Amino acid sequence: MRKFFQEIKADLKFKTAGPGQKLSEPSRAPKEKPKAEVAPKPRQAPTDEAQRAAAAALARLELKPKGKAPSSQEAIKNQVRKELMAEAAASEKGLSMEEKGQEEEGAAAPSVSGVYFICPLTGAIVRKDQREKQLREAIQAYYSVDPVAASIMEIHTFNRDRDKVRLCVETMAKYLDNIYLHPEEEKYRKIKLQNKVFQERISCLEGTHKFFQAVGFETKTLPVPGQGKNSWYATEEFYVLKEEMLSRLEELKDRKEQLQSSEPVRAQLHRQLTLFRPSPAAARFELPHDFFSLTADELRREQRLRTEAVEKASMLRTRAMREKEEQREMRKYNYTLLRVRFPDGYILQGTFYARESVSVLYNFVREALRDDWLPFELLGPGGLKLTDENLVFNECGLVPSALLSLAWDAAVMADVEAAEEQRSPLRPELLARAQSLS
């Protein structure tokens, strides 16, 4: 190929046109052995006039009908010439041949751009990987509104070990109970920060110190009694309840109950409700990477499951065992993209957790209807009726994506159509925003 490339360059740059000379085969004079004492003359570039004549002759030859098919060598040269021209054109546009090919093919657009969540405190919609940052910023901002509530949110939301959180809350509630039940006892109004129980159960968790400060404790350095003859040198850091809080013990009790009854603040999955016009591409899904990303715990679980699968590969498995393994395989997906096709062809799309129940999908469809009382049933792939609304999506084979069909109750729809003019059962505002499914 390199030889052909060199010959083409020679053809384009150094050919001259003369009487009876073919441009496709450059003339070569018989080589003579140069004398030892005479140095060879350097090759001269053709003049401008010669180059113009060569170009004109080449154009005339290309216009003539060819009497015979080109040889394989000529075909390869032509192909190389085309590739060189295409590469030069691509270079002018700043694209490599590979990038140009990708543009021509065109990557399929994803069905959704990603998985999104709604912050319950601000209503902001953020991508999956930004939800914790958004929650932290929202809770931090809430300290200016209600510092006690904000610290409780922090305790329950950002400490992942639920057992530690439960033990922490129980211990903190005990501290507040002792103050409420024995307000005259000074010892209950002080909490030593270096106390082993406080350190192991409370101090190591996020948000706990902010809670004590918000409910009326302040930090004080106090002498520690019972340390022998040098006890006057010994001091410890304490949380001490402020004196004014003794007249607000009911408020302290309310804060304790609020701490015990609170739940983690979780970003809500954004359904990304979309209505598509009728399309034959309804069953084609292109999912982004968000649907397949696994946490560290899930990756470890996947490794364990694969090890078990290798061990069981040689075993004779029953149908029930195979189905169980298939369901377990489905559980590795966190989300699923579901589409419901209506009898008139319109397609309703939404994003769901893979472990949500079928009842959630029924409610999702009802919220899109103009009359949410209209009875209907959903049919999964293969026409299977989803009658058990307690089943979760990854148990029904509806992950990571699925196209379902909606069927109306025939008797009810006949009465509806007879009573009023026929119109779409979907909400008008949804129909106005309907998109084309590419």
Side-chain angles (χ1 to χ4, degrees):
M1 184 63 72
R2 180 177 296 178
K3 180 180 178 182
F4 296 146
F5 178 86
Q6 291 173 346
E7 290 179 3
I8 291 169
K9 291 183 67 176
D11 289 346
L12 295 175
K13 291 186 177 180
F14 300 109
K15 284 183 181 178
T16 59
Q21 181 180 346
K22 293 183 178 179
L23 288 176
S24 59
E25 296 180 0
S27 63
R28 293 182 176 85
K31 294 184 180 178
E32 295 182 3
K33 188 175 182 180
K35 297 180 181 180
E37 65 276 5
V38 179
K41 293 182 180 180
R43 187 174 183 180
Q44 298 293 326
T47 64
D48 294 341
E49 183 179 357
Q51 291 185 37
R52 288 195 296 271
L58 180 61
R60 286 195 299 273
L61 285 176
E62 289 178 350
L63 291 175
K64 291 181 179 180
K66 297 182 179 179
K68 61 178 181 179
S71 65
S72 59
Q73 186 175 4
E74 290 175 343
I76 295 174
K77 285 184 179 181
N78 291 334
Q79 180 63 29
V80 173
R81 184 182 287 110
K82 290 179 181 179
E83 291 179 4
L84 288 173
M85 293 175 65
E87 186 173 356
S91 298
E92 292 177 359
K93 296 180 181 179
L95 296 173
S96 66
M97 291 298 293
E98 180 181 357
E99 290 170 335
K100 187 177 180 183
Q102 290 176 353
E103 280 193 352
E104 290 176 356
E105 290 180 6
S111 302
V112 285
S113 59
V115 177
Y116 289 82
F117 286 82
I118 306 171
C119 176
L121 299 178
T122 64
I125 300 174
V126 296
R127 287 191 69 99
K128 180 179 69 173
D129 56 354
Q130 294 293 316
R131 55 181 168 174
E132 182 169 339
K133 178 183 177 183
Q134 177 65 29
L135 281 176
R136 285 187 178 278
E137 292 176 353
I139 291 175
Q140 188 62 37
Y142 201 69
Y143 271 98
S144 61
V145 179
D146 188 342
V148 176
S151 62
I152 292 174
M153 291 179 197
E154 203 168 328
I155 292 170
H156 284 280
T157 303
F158 300 125
N159 297 295
R160 302 300 183 187
D161 192 324
R162 302 311 303 164
D163 291 333
K164 286 186 176 181
V165 172
R166 177 184 53 77
L167 187 59
C168 169
V169 169
E170 289 176 357
T171 307
M172 293 171 71
K174 186 65 176 176
Y175 281 131
L176 300 181
D177 262 341
N178 286 337
I179 296 173
Y180 179 76
L181 297 174
H182 310 283
E184 70 285 352
E185 295 285 345
E186 183 181 355
K187 65 178 181 179
Y188 291 126
R189 302 200 298 270
K190 295 187 296 184
I191 303 172
K192 185 163 65 173
L193 299 187
Q194 295 304 315
N195 178 274
K196 183 179 179 180
V197 172
F198 186 86
Q199 285 290 315
E200 293 179 351
R201 298 185 181 183
I202 298 175
S203 185
C204 59
L205 270 66
E206 190 172 346
T208 52
H209 291 280
K210 294 178 182 178
F211 174 81
F212 281 109
Q213 294 165 6
V215 297
F217 285 84
E218 58 184 346
T219 306
K220 286 188 177 182
T221 302
L222 301 176
V224 179
Q227 300 295 326
K229 61 180 180 179
N230 295 324
S231 62
W232 60 281
Y233 286 111
T235 58
E236 293 271 5
E237 292 288 322
F238 286 82
Y239 274 144
V240 180
L241 188 67
K242 297 175 182 179
E243 288 293 332
E244 61 264 27
M245 292 303 300
L246 292 176
S247 60
R248 298 157 57 187
L249 292 178
E250 287 298 327
E251 180 181 330
L252 201 64
K253 180 183 177 183
D254 293 340
R255 296 304 191 184
K256 181 209 73 170
E257 293 174 352
Q258 184 181 356
L259 173 67
Q260 291 177 308
S261 61
S262 293
E263 296 289 337
V265 179
R266 298 289 184 233
Q268 301 164 1
L269 181 64
H270 184 34
R271 298 294 183 199
Q272 301 185 74
L273 185 152
T274 309
L275 184 67
F276 294 108
R277 301 182 188 93
S279 169
R284 188 174 69 242
F285 292 87
E286 295 291 340
L287 299 178
H289 294 300
D290 289 356
F291 278 73
F292 302 94
S293 59
L294 301 177
T295 65
D297 290 339
E298 288 168 335
L299 286 173
R300 284 192 291 269
R301 184 179 66 184
E302 281 297 301
Q303 183 61 41
R304 176 174 56 80
L305 294 178
R306 288 180 183 179
T307 302
E308 293 176 0
V310 171
E311 294 174 352
K312 294 178 179 179
S314 59
M315 296 173 55
L316 181 62
R317 296 175 296 170
T318 65
R319 178 180 177 182
M321 293 172 64
R322 290 195 300 270
E323 290 177 350
K324 184 177 181 181
E325 289 183 5
E326 289 174 1
Q327 290 177 2
R328 187 166 59 184
E329 180 70 13
M330 289 292 186
R331 292 192 184 100
K332 71 181 181 182
Y333 299 107
N334 291 332
Y335 311 97
T336 183
L337 186 67
L338 299 180
R339 290 173 179 166
V340 177
R341 180 157 51 194
F342 284 72
D344 59 3
Y346 276 89
I347 304 153
L348 189 68
Q349 175 178 286
T351 303
F352 301 84
Y353 284 111
R355 295 175 180 85
E356 287 188 279
S357 65
V358 173
S359 62
V360 174
L361 180 59
Y362 270 90
N363 291 333
F364 175 75
V365 174
R366 288 190 186 99
E367 290 173 359
L369 298 179
R370 184 165 42 85
D371 300 313
D372 58 5
W373 57 267
L374 288 174
F376 64 89
E377 59 185 4
L378 297 177
L379 310 178
L384 179 65
K385 293 184 179 180
L386 299 177
T387 54
D388 187 354
E389 297 189 20
N390 293 321
L391 286 175
V392 296
F393 296 132
N394 56 12
E395 291 178 353
C396 305
L398 300 181
V399 293
S401 60
L403 173 64
L404 303 95
S405 298
L406 181 143
W408 301 111
D409 183 286
V412 174
M413 288 307 295
D415 293 340
V416 171
E417 292 172 1
E420 59 183 33
E421 62 181 27
Q422 192 171 358
R423 55 180 178 174
S424 174
L426 291 162
R427 296 206 319 259
E429 58 269 27
L430 277 179
L431 290 169
R433 301 198 308 267
Q435 303 176 19
S436 295
L437 184 60
S438 56

